[in-house]
Amino acid sequence: MNRRSSQTLLAVREARLAWIFMGPALAVLLLIATGPLLATLWESLHDHDLRLPWLGRPFVGLTNYQEAATDPRFQEALGHTLAFTLLTVSLELTLGLALALGLDSLARGRSLARLVVLLPWALPTVVAGLVWRFIFDSQSGLVNAVVGWLGVTTLQVDWLADPKAAWVPIVLGDVWKTTPFVALLLLAGLQSIDPRLFEAARLDGAGAWRRFFDITLPLLTPALSVALAFRALDAFRVFDLVYVLTGGGPGTSTEVISLYAFLVLMQDLRFGYASALSVSVFFVSFILALFYVRAARAAVVQQS
Amino acid sequence: MTRAAERIGTVLLLLAWAFPLYWMFVASLTPESRLFGVPQMVPRSLGLEHYRALFGERQFWLPIRNSLIVAGATTVLAVLLGAPCAYAMARLQFRAKSWLLAIVMAVSMFPQISVVSPLFLLLRSIGLIDTFPGLVLPYLTFAMPLAIWLMSAFLRELPREIEDAARLDGAGPVRTVVEVALSFTLGPERQTVPVALALFRGRYQVPWGQILAGSAVASLPVAVVVLAFQRRIVKGLTAGAMKG
């Protein structure tokens, strides 16, 4: 046997081994993820209402999407979701950067600090939601007690029952739970910056702010964009936090699109329309995911 | 001067982050009668009454048992099925690799809502609704891509020389996969306890004491895992997020 054919043989063998190794995982993913997603896509082209079973399940093309485009409740939920994403992600990036810089400068107690930061991130979202609901509870809540003690009684509202105020615990809960992730990502980015750069800048007489804006920030941009895209993707899909804190209420004033799609599915039992809503959520997430992959790739290129 | 300010700022931020959990813990130990009074930062009287009620009349053991079963099965399956897949993606050469990796990543980025209804119909048609496998399968959808992602990042960092040396000793890729899978037992999935918590309702008023006691109990295993593996979690997280 000559050398080349033995090499192709090796390559074929390696590829075969790879497929054997990946087989079970891919089969499971196909069954429980890709399959259902395609089914949702297909379902979204049908009029399928479980409350009206005698209508059957006629093919209606893009009618469900047309309905979504003119559905005021969907538009409202979309607006809420976008505003929530914009607000939480900017807060999380700012606070996350502050936390990362702080953690980086800590001389002692680093592992305790890391524990403090990791815990909220690792907690089940429902627990995080409940903790914040307790803090903002109208009767036994800490916030109203403190506000009352300070004498600012105009702020003593029933937080979770007020259409505007209800956003405060939702945003705070999300920021509290997910900023740690941003901070840890940025911390990794910070620690990959060559300390000699700071030393050289210091010798040249650059102050702390100057060093931050001229060295830290530019070199942290890849990590920042990864964090931005990752968080935007997550924030756009927000569901359980809102579900636990307000259930979308009062009325529909805190309803986000994942929650609306869920309610159309589980309460109205309109499977076709709910599927169209879910597919819309999916497509926006998909676009955000593409940004994420590009940002991640740029970050890797810069690191190496 | 700025150094001191920076340090104070950091400590304040960390305190702010730790506070909600501290508050949850204190309230879960505060007797019901005091829970609605003026909040006290440093509690004066503590008691285990909420925990007693939780495990007595509430039978909180049941959701805990369910969580352990579901989380255990999900983790074991995700690692068991994911490890060889991650190995193939990190180490072996074959066509369509980047495509497959992208698909696996895309799965982990699905909005859960977009697969709920067909999954429900699928599980119902094979009679798995209200069963443990019926819970484990959907969790696997999200746990397995994460496991594959983290493990292949981990494998890519593992120097090839180690593996080559192992091969000379007669150990093949299967052995590497097994070892990586064994060393990779993080991935605490948590559910069912949260569901039980979310559905907690008192007859006359919100049973905050018990809810918070339940939350504290639900946080405990997470805290233990984080404490034990924090270094590795941070490493895996950042490597996984950057190298996808």
Side-chain angles (χ1 to χ4, degrees):
Chain A
M1 208 191 305
N2 64 30
R3 208 173 144 198
R4 176 184 270 166
S5 71
S6 77
Q7 262 183 356
T8 23
L9 190 68
L10 268 180
V12 169
R13 265 189 163 168
E14 192 168 320
R16 194 190 301 151
L17 184 66
W19 285 105
I20 293 173
F21 272 8
M22 293 184 303
L26 292 183
V28 170
L29 285 182
L30 207 66
L31 176 74
I32 58 180
T34 325
L37 187 74
L38 292 176
T40 304
L41 203 64
W42 185 236
E43 178 87 356
S44 75
L45 304 174
H46 293 79
D47 191 9
H48 190 194
D49 191 332
L50 287 198
R51 288 166 313 173
L52 313 166
W54 56 89
L55 289 181
R57 190 167 161 269
F59 183 87
V60 292
L62 293 175
T63 316
N64 285 322
Y65 292 93
Q66 278 164 359
E67 184 182 339
T70 54
D71 179 353
R73 195 164 156 194
F74 176 64
Q75 282 159 10
E76 192 198 0
L78 188 66
H80 290 158
T81 314
L82 291 176
F84 171 82
T85 304
L86 205 69
L87 186 62
T88 54
V89 173
S90 23
L91 282 173
E92 282 154 20
L93 285 185
T94 320
L95 284 170
L97 184 58
L99 254 174
L101 288 169
L103 287 175
D104 195 34
S105 74
L106 273 188
R108 273 180 307 161
R110 233 184 225 198
S111 77
L112 179 69
R114 198 158 45 190
L115 181 71
V116 165
V117 167
L118 268 176
L119 263 180
W121 169 80
L123 283 185
T125 314
V126 172
V127 169
L130 289 171
V131 170
W132 284 94
R133 208 167 88 187
F134 176 63
I135 290 176
F136 279 90
D137 188 74
S138 61
Q139 284 151 34
S140 52
L142 181 65
V143 171
N144 273 355
V146 170
V147 160
W149 183 73
L150 288 174
V152 203
T153 38
T154 42
L155 268 176
Q156 228 168 7
V157 293
D158 190 350
W159 292 90
L160 294 165
D162 183 275
K164 288 220 176 61
W167 281 105
V168 176
I170 295 177
V171 169
L172 274 181
D174 194 70
V175 168
W176 179 68
K177 186 158 169 30
T178 58
T179 302
F181 175 78
V182 176
L184 291 174
L185 248 162
L186 296 182
L187 183 62
L190 274 180
Q191 285 170 346
S192 71
I193 297 177
D194 191 343
R196 278 172 299 182
L197 282 176
F198 293 109
E199 212 39 60
R202 208 197 309 263
L203 288 178
D204 284 346
W209 284 109
R210 185 76 196 279
R211 290 199 297 269
F212 175 73
F213 281 106
D214 286 357
I215 301 174
T216 312
L217 216 49
L219 288 178
L220 211 54
T221 312
L224 273 169
S225 39
V226 170
L228 170 80
F230 196 91
R231 282 305 316 144
L233 184 63
D234 251 10
F236 191 78
R237 298 179 298 177
V238 62
F239 175 82
D240 15 11
L241 196 63
V242 181
Y243 185 76
V244 172
L245 275 170
T246 64
T252 58
S253 53
T254 57
E255 197 168 78
V256 288
I257 37 178
S258 285
L259 186 60
Y260 179 45
F262 174 80
L263 291 176
V264 171
L265 185 75
M266 290 309 195
Q267 278 180 4
D268 303 351
L269 297 176
R270 294 186 60 201
F271 273 53
Y273 187 47
S275 300
L277 294 178
S278 314
V279 171
S280 315
V281 181
F282 173 73
F283 270 113
V284 178
S285 314
F286 188 72
I287 293 167
L288 289 172
L290 284 183
F291 275 113
Y292 169 68
V293 171
R294 281 187 56 179
R297 202 165 285 163
V300 174
V301 168
Q302 210 220 22
Q303 263 192 348
S304 51
Chain B
M1 174 60 211
T2 40
R3 271 238 105 95
E6 197 176 289
R7 201 157 295 161
I8 291 169
T10 308
V11 170
L12 283 180
L13 259 180
L14 287 172
L15 282 178
W17 245 265
F19 180 76
L21 287 179
Y22 168 78
W23 193 242
M24 167 184 90
F25 193 63
V26 167
S28 75
L29 290 168
T30 306
E32 196 77 22
S33 53
R34 290 201 169 230
L35 214 48
F36 293 90
V38 181
Q40 287 156 339
M41 286 301 128
V42 183
R44 256 180 245 149
S45 60
L46 296 176
L48 288 171
E49 71 173 74
H50 300 307
Y51 289 88
R52 248 176 247 127
L54 192 67
F55 289 107
E57 57 194 84
R58 284 278 179 185
Q59 299 192 314
F60 206 60
W61 292 115
L62 217 61
I64 288 178
R65 194 204 61 181
N66 294 347
S67 274
L68 287 178
I69 293 175
V70 173
T74 308
T75 309
V76 167
L77 276 175
V79 171
L80 217 61
L81 296 173
C85 186
Y87 179 85
M89 288 183 166
R91 279 286 200 256
L92 301 176
Q93 297 299 324
F94 57 97
R95 262 180 282 168
K97 189 203 277 191
S98 52
W99 270 100
L100 278 175
L101 201 60
I103 291 175
V104 169
M105 297 237 320
V107 167
S108 72
M109 293 175 180
F110 279 2
Q112 263 131 314
I113 187 72
S114 63
V115 290
V116 163
S117 67
L119 256 185
F120 178 79
L121 297 176
L122 173 78
L123 294 176
R124 197 177 60 176
S125 70
I126 47 179
L128 283 183
I129 289 297
D130 276 337
T131 65
F132 283 123
L135 263 176
V136 171
L137 272 179
Y139 274 118
L140 216 48
T141 324
F142 300 97
M144 202 162 61
L146 190 70
I148 292 174
W149 196 16
L150 291 177
M151 281 190 284
S152 63
F154 177 76
L155 270 169
R156 248 173 281 156
E157 274 190 7
L158 194 74
R160 221 168 236 280
E161 293 77 46
I162 292 180
E163 200 188 328
D164 290 340
R167 192 169 292 157
L168 287 180
D169 290 344
V174 175
R175 168 91 179 272
T176 313
V177 166
V178 171
E179 271 168 16
V180 169
L182 283 181
S183 73
F184 217 87
T185 25
L186 74 98
E189 275 304 311
R190 15 33 172 181
Q191 206 42 267
T192 32
V193 168
V195 171
L197 283 174
L199 299 176
F200 251 35
R201 290 282 184 272
R203 225 170 298 163
Y204 304 109
Q205 54 171 336
V206 186
W208 275 119
Q210 287 175 37
I211 288 181
L212 296 169
S215 301
V217 171
S219 313
L220 196 68
V222 179
V224 170
V225 171
V226 166
L227 200 61
F229 293 106
Q230 52 165 312
R231 253 167 223 286
R232 241 195 258 179
I233 293 176
V234 171
K235 236 183 133 206
L237 253 184
T238 41
M242 296 297 226
K243 292 184 182 150

